Amino acid sequence: MAYDPNNIFARILRGEIPCKKVFEDEHALAFHDINPQAPTHILVIPKGAYVSFDDFSANAPPAEIVGYVRAIGHVAREQGVADSGYRILANHGANSHQEVPHLHVHIFGGRRLGPMLVKS
Ligand code: AMP
């Protein structure tokens, strides 16, 4: 899938749409999910144009991968969920129900999160 530069997270990165930012550095931007599923629900996105984890893991240079992973851990600690525990999740493609075609990791925390997947 080709990267769509008009996806909503690309527009947030360009400052065209506001977000409730919690962290930013050269590699990543983190902000509150607009429809939180847990008391803490933060999205962390890389600054580079990657459709999903599949694209990022195959194509991002090592410095961007390190910077992004470190940002996710940093944000979780900064949000105060590292001690109590948290879940990170990245959807890729149709079966996962990925909605926004720019890589994003969800950080969920602040309550007991229950089973990993809904039974179908
Ligand atoms: P996914 O299903 O993994 O692609 O998740 C997309 C997430 O983006 C959902 O949890 C949405 O609530 C969230 N979302 C969509 N638009 C925005 C926005 N403008 N600001 C913050 N979060 C958003």
Coordinates of all heavy atoms in Angstrom, one line a residue, residues 60-102:
A60 N 12.4 1.4 7.6 CA 12.9 2.5 8.3 C 14.4 2.3 8.6 O 14.8 1.2 9.0 CB 12.1 2.7 9.6
P61 N 15.2 3.3 8.6 CA 16.6 3.2 9.0 C 16.7 3.0 10.5 O 15.8 3.4 11.2 CB 17.2 4.6 8.6 CG 16.2 5.4 8.0 CD 14.9 4.7 8.1
P62 N 17.8 2.3 10.9 CA 18.0 1.9 12.3 C 17.8 3.1 13.2 O 17.2 2.9 14.3 CB 19.4 1.4 12.3 CG 19.6 0.8 11.0 CD 18.9 1.7 10.0
A63 N 18.3 4.3 12.9 CA 18.2 5.4 13.8 C 16.7 5.8 14.1 O 16.3 6.1 15.2 CB 18.9 6.6 13.3
E64 N 15.9 5.6 13.1 CA 14.4 6.0 13.2 C 13.8 4.9 14.1 O 12.9 5.2 14.9 CB 13.8 6.1 11.9 CG 14.1 7.3 11.1 CD 13.3 7.5 9.8 OE1 12.1 7.2 9.8 OE2 13.9 7.9 8.8
I65 N 14.2 3.6 13.9 CA 13.6 2.5 14.7 C 13.9 2.7 16.1 O 13.1 2.6 17.0 CB 14.0 1.2 14.1 CG1 13.5 1.0 12.7 CG2 13.6 0.0 15.0 CD1 13.9 -0.3 12.0
V66 N 15.2 3.0 16.4 CA 15.6 3.1 17.8 C 14.9 4.3 18.4 O 14.4 4.3 19.5 CB 17.2 3.3 17.9 CG1 17.6 3.7 19.3 CG2 17.9 2.0 17.5
G67 N 14.9 5.4 17.7 CA 14.3 6.7 18.2 C 12.8 6.4 18.5 O 12.3 6.9 19.5
Y68 N 12.1 5.7 17.6 CA 10.7 5.5 17.8 C 10.4 4.6 19.0 O 9.6 4.9 19.9 CB 10.1 4.9 16.5 CG 8.6 4.7 16.6 CD1 7.8 5.7 16.9 CD2 8.1 3.4 16.3 CE1 6.4 5.5 16.9 CE2 6.7 3.2 16.3 CZ 5.9 4.3 16.6 OH 4.5 4.1 16.6
V69 N 11.2 3.5 19.1 CA 11.0 2.6 20.2 C 11.3 3.2 21.6 O 10.6 3.1 22.5 CB 11.8 1.3 20.0 CG1 11.8 0.4 21.3 CG2 11.3 0.5 18.8
R70 N 12.4 4.0 21.6 CA 12.7 4.7 22.8 C 11.6 5.7 23.2 O 11.3 5.9 24.4 CB 14.1 5.4 22.7 CG 15.2 4.5 22.6 CD 16.3 4.9 23.6 NE 17.6 4.3 23.4 CZ 17.9 3.1 23.9 NH1 17.0 2.5 24.7 NH2 19.1 2.5 23.7
A71 N 11.1 6.4 22.2 CA 10.0 7.4 22.5 C 8.8 6.7 23.1 O 8.2 7.2 24.0 CB 9.6 8.1 21.2
I72 N 8.4 5.5 22.6 CA 7.3 4.8 23.2 C 7.5 4.5 24.6 O 6.6 4.7 25.5 CB 7.0 3.5 22.4 CG1 6.6 3.8 20.9 CG2 5.9 2.6 23.1 CD1 6.6 2.6 20.0
G73 N 8.7 3.9 25.0 CA 9.0 3.6 26.4 C 9.0 4.9 27.2 O 8.5 4.9 28.4
H74 N 9.6 5.9 26.7 CA 9.7 7.2 27.4 C 8.3 7.7 27.7 O 8.0 8.2 28.8 CB 10.5 8.2 26.6 CG 10.5 9.6 27.2 ND1 11.3 9.9 28.2 CD2 9.8 10.7 26.9 CE1 11.1 11.2 28.5 NE2 10.2 11.7 27.7
V75 N 7.4 7.7 26.7 CA 6.0 8.3 26.9 C 5.3 7.4 28.0 O 4.6 8.0 28.8 CB 5.3 8.3 25.6 CG1 3.8 8.6 25.8 CG2 5.9 9.3 24.7
A76 N 5.4 6.1 27.9 CA 4.8 5.3 28.9 C 5.2 5.6 30.3 O 4.4 5.8 31.3 CB 5.0 3.8 28.6
R77 N 6.5 5.8 30.5 CA 7.1 6.2 31.8 C 6.6 7.6 32.2 O 6.1 7.8 33.3 CB 8.6 6.1 31.8 CG 9.2 4.7 31.8 CD 10.7 4.7 32.0 NE 11.4 5.3 30.9 CZ 11.7 4.7 29.8 NH1 11.4 3.5 29.6 NH2 12.3 5.4 28.8
E78 N 6.6 8.5 31.3 CA 6.2 9.9 31.6 C 4.7 10.0 31.9 O 4.3 10.8 32.7 CB 6.5 10.7 30.3 CG 6.7 12.2 30.6 CD 7.2 12.9 29.3 OE1 6.5 12.9 28.3 OE2 8.3 13.5 29.4
Q79 N 3.9 9.1 31.3 CA 2.5 9.1 31.6 C 2.2 8.3 32.9 O 1.0 8.2 33.3 CB 1.7 8.4 30.4 CG 1.7 9.2 29.2 CD 1.0 10.5 29.3 OE1 -0.2 10.5 29.8 NE2 1.6 11.6 28.9
G80 N 3.2 7.7 33.5 CA 3.0 7.1 34.9 C 2.4 5.7 34.8 O 1.8 5.3 35.8
V81 N 2.5 5.0 33.7 CA 1.9 3.7 33.6 C 2.9 2.6 33.6 O 2.6 1.4 33.6 CB 1.0 3.5 32.4 CG1 -0.3 4.4 32.6 CG2 1.7 3.8 31.1
A82 N 4.2 2.9 33.7 CA 5.2 1.9 33.6 C 5.2 1.0 34.9 O 5.4 -0.2 34.7 CB 6.6 2.5 33.4
D83 N 5.0 1.6 36.0 CA 5.0 0.7 37.2 C 3.8 -0.1 37.3 O 3.8 -1.3 37.7 CB 5.1 1.6 38.5 CG 6.5 2.2 38.6 OD1 7.5 1.6 38.0 OD2 6.7 3.2 39.4
S84 N 2.6 0.4 37.0 CA 1.4 -0.3 37.2 C 1.1 -1.3 36.0 O 0.4 -2.2 36.1 CB 0.2 0.6 37.3 OG 0.2 1.6 36.2
G85 N 1.8 -1.0 34.9 CA 1.6 -1.9 33.7 C 0.8 -1.2 32.6 O -0.1 -0.4 32.8
Y86 N 1.2 -1.6 31.4 CA 0.5 -1.0 30.2 C 0.5 -2.0 29.1 O 1.3 -3.0 29.1 CB 1.1 0.3 29.8 CG 2.5 0.3 29.4 CD1 2.9 0.1 28.1 CD2 3.5 0.5 30.3 CE1 4.2 0.1 27.7 CE2 4.9 0.5 29.9 CZ 5.2 0.3 28.6 OH 6.5 0.3 28.2
R87 N -0.2 -1.8 28.1 CA -0.2 -2.6 26.8 C 0.1 -1.7 25.7 O -0.5 -0.6 25.6 CB -1.6 -3.2 26.7 CG -1.8 -4.1 25.4 CD -3.1 -4.8 25.4 NE -3.2 -5.8 26.6 CZ -4.3 -6.2 27.1 NH1 -5.5 -5.8 26.6 NH2 -4.3 -7.0 28.1
I88 N 0.9 -2.2 24.7 CA 1.1 -1.4 23.5 C 0.6 -2.3 22.4 O 0.6 -3.5 22.4 CB 2.6 -1.1 23.2 CG1 3.5 -2.3 23.2 CG2 3.1 -0.1 24.3 CD1 5.0 -2.0 22.8
L89 N 0.0 -1.6 21.4 CA -0.7 -2.3 20.3 C -0.5 -1.5 19.0 O -0.6 -0.3 19.0 CB -2.2 -2.4 20.6 CG -3.1 -3.1 19.6 CD1 -4.2 -3.8 20.4 CD2 -3.7 -2.1 18.7
A90 N -0.1 -2.2 17.9 CA -0.1 -1.6 16.6 C -0.8 -2.4 15.6 O -0.5 -3.6 15.4 CB 1.4 -1.4 16.2
N91 N -1.9 -1.9 15.0 CA -2.6 -2.6 14.0 C -2.0 -2.5 12.7 O -1.6 -1.4 12.3 CB -4.1 -2.1 14.0 CG -4.9 -2.4 15.2 OD1 -4.8 -3.6 15.7 ND2 -5.6 -1.5 15.8
H92 N -2.0 -3.6 11.9 CA -1.5 -3.5 10.5 C -2.5 -4.2 9.6 O -2.8 -5.4 9.8 CB -0.2 -4.2 10.4 CG 0.1 -4.6 9.0 ND1 0.4 -3.7 8.0 CD2 0.1 -5.8 8.3 CE1 0.6 -4.3 6.8 NE2 0.4 -5.6 7.0
G93 N -3.1 -3.5 8.7 CA -3.9 -4.1 7.7 C -5.3 -4.4 8.1 O -5.8 -4.1 9.2
A94 N -6.1 -5.0 7.1 CA -7.5 -5.2 7.2 C -7.9 -6.1 8.4 O -8.8 -5.8 9.1 CB -8.0 -5.7 5.9
N95 N -7.2 -7.2 8.6 CA -7.7 -8.1 9.6 C -7.5 -7.5 11.0 O -8.3 -7.9 11.9 CB -6.8 -9.4 9.6 CG -7.5 -10.5 8.7 OD1 -8.5 -10.2 8.1 ND2 -6.8 -11.6 8.5
S96 N -6.6 -6.6 11.2 CA -6.4 -5.9 12.5 C -7.4 -4.7 12.7 O -7.4 -4.1 13.7 CB -5.0 -5.5 12.6 OG -4.8 -4.3 11.9
H97 N -8.0 -4.4 11.6 CA -8.9 -3.2 11.6 C -8.2 -1.9 11.7 O -8.6 -0.9 12.4 CB -10.0 -3.3 12.7 CG -11.3 -2.6 12.4 ND1 -12.1 -3.0 11.4 CD2 -11.8 -1.5 13.0 CE1 -13.1 -2.1 11.4 NE2 -13.0 -1.2 12.3
Q98 N -7.0 -1.8 11.1 CA -6.3 -0.6 11.1 C -7.1 0.5 10.4 O -7.5 0.3 9.3 CB -4.9 -0.7 10.4 CG -4.1 0.6 10.4 CD -2.7 0.5 9.7 OE1 -2.4 -0.6 9.1 NE2 -2.0 1.5 9.6
E99 N -7.3 1.6 11.1 CA -8.1 2.7 10.5 C -7.3 3.8 9.9 O -7.7 4.4 8.9 CB -9.0 3.4 11.6 CG -10.1 2.5 12.1 CD -10.8 3.1 13.3 OE1 -10.5 4.3 13.7 OE2 -11.6 2.4 13.9
V100 N -6.2 4.1 10.5 CA -5.4 5.3 10.0 C -4.1 4.7 9.4 O -3.3 4.1 10.1 CB -5.1 6.3 11.1 CG1 -4.2 7.5 10.6 CG2 -6.4 6.8 11.8
P101 N -3.8 5.0 8.1 CA -2.7 4.4 7.4 C -1.4 5.2 7.6 O -0.7 5.5 6.7 CB -3.1 4.4 6.0 CG -4.0 5.6 5.8 CD -4.7 5.7 7.1
H102 N -1.1 5.5 8.9 CA 0.2 6.0 9.3 C 0.6 5.2 10.6 O -0.3 5.2 11.5 CB 0.2 7.5 9.5 CG 1.5 8.1 10.0 ND1 2.3 8.9 9.1 CD2 2.3 7.9 11.1 CE1 3.4 9.3 9.8 NE2 3.4 8.7 10.9

